[in-house]
Amino acid sequence: MPTGSFVVLLPTDSDYKIMGYYFKEGESNFKISSDLFLRLNLDHSKNEYNLLKLKDIRIFSYLHKFKGKLLRNAHGIILGLLLNEDEEPDKYRSSLKEAAEVFEMPSLNILKKSREEFESILKDIYLEHLEPLIDILQPDSLKNSIINITKFMLSGGKKERKIAQELLEKVERGEHEKITELYKTAETAMKSSDYEKAAKFYRKAAEIAEVLYIMDVATSLKEKAEFLQQIPELSKEREKIVQEARNALKNEDFHTAYISYRRASEISKKLIQYDKEEEYRLKSKALEDFYKIDQKYSKSK
């Protein structure tokens, strides 16, 4: 489970502004320092998603670029999750993006909120969007979400009341439980690296969620399916590039080797495979340093 969250605004007239924090335990010594912001900002200049490993915690963050009226005053926000060292960041990917988009809603008017007001909003968004998807997809949670939707519909017109009645009937038949079952099947397939099968079941779960008017759940499931579809192709591309790096290394072509490992690191980041990202980044850096030293002393001969 995440231990907290934060939002950094990227204003047009200054480097950054801390909008607020939310910590599950209520208090924390964690703060975004200027040095930490520089690291985050540098990483996000290359990738929307980023994992930063600190001494006792991991920061999984998403860069959301504004597109609406907020763009007049800010480029966007960095929304971050504080994770324990053994936490897998991948399962928060779609949730982070979804939550970041909520902050741009005109009704929230986040640029005019006080720190206290904003942190209240951040808490609500955290609890609604950033908790693990498996918790949201438990049958009881899905049932409660659908019932809350019907309450709004029952106060609407004849068409809305009819839809609400149909939704309640579907809940009674246990239609929402199919979402949980399909999600678990998809997760099992993903752990076995059967990404095609996993994407298929995520899509099926998303279709049922749409029928039951749980649109935020449907969106998250669709995004997971779309992401998984990219994995085989990106993995194949990385494998080819890593082989190029190894071949270059055998031929003592250190320049090609470090460039190839750097590309492999960047692809690993897209795949949210941060152990591989770190492995190839460190290999690239070591080979780049060796190449520069070799060039320096080759010229002096």
Side-chain angles (χ1 to χ4, degrees):
M1 291 281 287
T3 60
S5 183
F6 64 84
V7 174
V8 178
L9 185 73
L10 305 174
T12 54
D13 59 354
S14 60
D15 288 339
Y16 71 101
K17 176 185 177 183
I18 306 299
M19 296 296 287
Y21 301 91
Y22 168 69
F23 302 112
K24 289 209 71 171
E25 299 300 321
E27 294 183 4
S28 172
N29 294 323
F30 175 82
K31 297 294 179 201
I32 299 290
S33 64
S34 56
D35 288 344
L36 183 51
F37 166 73
L38 287 174
R39 291 178 66 183
L40 284 170
N41 199 39
L42 179 61
D43 286 342
H44 280 298
S45 66
K46 302 172 184 176
N47 296 283
E48 287 182 329
Y49 293 93
N50 184 63
L51 182 70
L52 190 59
K53 298 180 181 179
L54 303 181
K55 185 178 179 182
D56 300 314
I57 205 167
R58 289 180 166 195
I59 299 176
F60 187 48
S61 54
Y62 172 72
L63 170 64
H64 175 67
K65 295 180 180 179
F66 290 149
K67 302 180 185 68
K69 292 182 179 179
L70 291 177
L71 192 55
R72 300 172 187 171
N73 303 105
H75 302 295
I77 59 171
I78 295 174
L79 173 60
L81 270 182
L82 306 179
L83 305 177
N84 293 315
E85 291 182 87
D86 59 349
E87 194 87 35
E88 289 295 330
D90 176 53
K91 62 184 178 184
Y92 300 105
R93 192 176 188 275
S94 58
S95 300
L96 263 182
K97 181 178 180 182
E98 179 184 298
E101 289 170 350
V102 174
F103 285 105
E104 197 171 1
M105 290 174 61
S107 58
L108 290 183
N109 202 8
I110 62 170
L111 297 185
K112 294 187 177 180
K113 300 296 183 186
S114 67
R115 177 74 167 259
E116 185 179 356
E117 290 172 326
F118 182 85
E119 289 186 339
S120 177
I121 292 170
L122 175 57
K123 177 182 177 180
D124 290 341
I125 290 175
Y126 176 93
L127 294 175
E128 184 175 350
H129 296 279
L130 294 174
E131 293 282 39
L133 192 57
I134 185 59
D135 294 343
I136 299 168
L137 293 180
Q138 291 301 319
D140 287 345
S141 296
L142 291 170
K143 183 177 180 178
N144 290 334
S145 295
I146 297 165
I147 288 173
N148 287 333
I149 291 167
T150 62
K151 287 177 182 177
F152 288 104
M153 289 184 167
L154 287 170
S155 61
K158 184 178 179 180
K159 182 180 179 181
E160 285 76 17
R161 290 198 300 273
K162 182 182 179 183
I163 292 172
Q165 188 58 48
E166 290 173 351
L167 283 175
L168 290 172
E169 289 172 2
K170 287 174 181 176
V171 168
E172 287 299 313
R173 294 198 300 268
E175 291 290 314
H176 59 292
E177 295 175 5
K178 294 178 182 177
I179 298 174
T180 310
E181 293 168 5
L182 289 166
Y183 176 80
K184 289 180 177 179
T185 302
E187 288 285 289
T188 301
M190 188 171 71
K191 288 174 183 176
S192 301
S193 300
D194 191 343
Y195 301 116
E196 186 177 343
K197 181 179 178 181
K200 176 184 175 182
F201 281 98
Y202 280 132
R203 280 195 296 271
K204 284 186 176 181
E207 288 168 5
I208 296 174
E210 282 186 335
V211 171
L212 295 176
Y213 283 77
I214 324 171
M215 297 307 178
D216 55 340
V217 170
T219 299
S220 294
L221 291 167
K222 279 182 180 178
E223 287 183 353
K224 285 186 78 69
E226 289 169 4
F227 172 66
L228 289 180
Q229 284 181 315
Q230 299 175 38
I231 290 179
E233 186 176 340
L234 286 173
S235 298
K236 192 179 293 184
E237 182 182 353
R238 183 182 62 187
E239 187 179 335
K240 180 182 176 183
I241 291 169
V242 169
Q243 191 57 52
E244 287 175 0
R246 289 169 179 160
N247 291 338
L249 200 52
K250 287 178 182 177
N251 295 323
E252 298 186 1
D253 182 353
F254 303 114
H255 181 267
T256 299
Y258 88 72
I259 292 293
S260 295
Y261 274 128
R262 181 186 294 170
R263 288 169 60 203
S265 174
E266 290 167 356
I267 291 174
S268 298
K269 209 164 195 177
K270 289 180 181 178
L271 289 168
I272 318 190
Q273 295 176 358
Y274 289 101
D275 289 341
K276 288 292 184 183
E277 181 273 332
E278 182 178 39
E279 176 190 344
Y280 297 136
R281 173 169 48 81
L282 291 175
K283 286 180 177 179
S284 174
K285 183 67 173 64
L287 287 168
E288 182 181 9
D289 291 342
F290 184 86
Y291 171 75
K292 288 179 179 178
I293 293 170
D294 185 59
Q295 287 293 103
K296 178 181 177 180
Y297 287 98
S298 293
K299 291 177 182 178
S300 63
K301 289 180 181 179

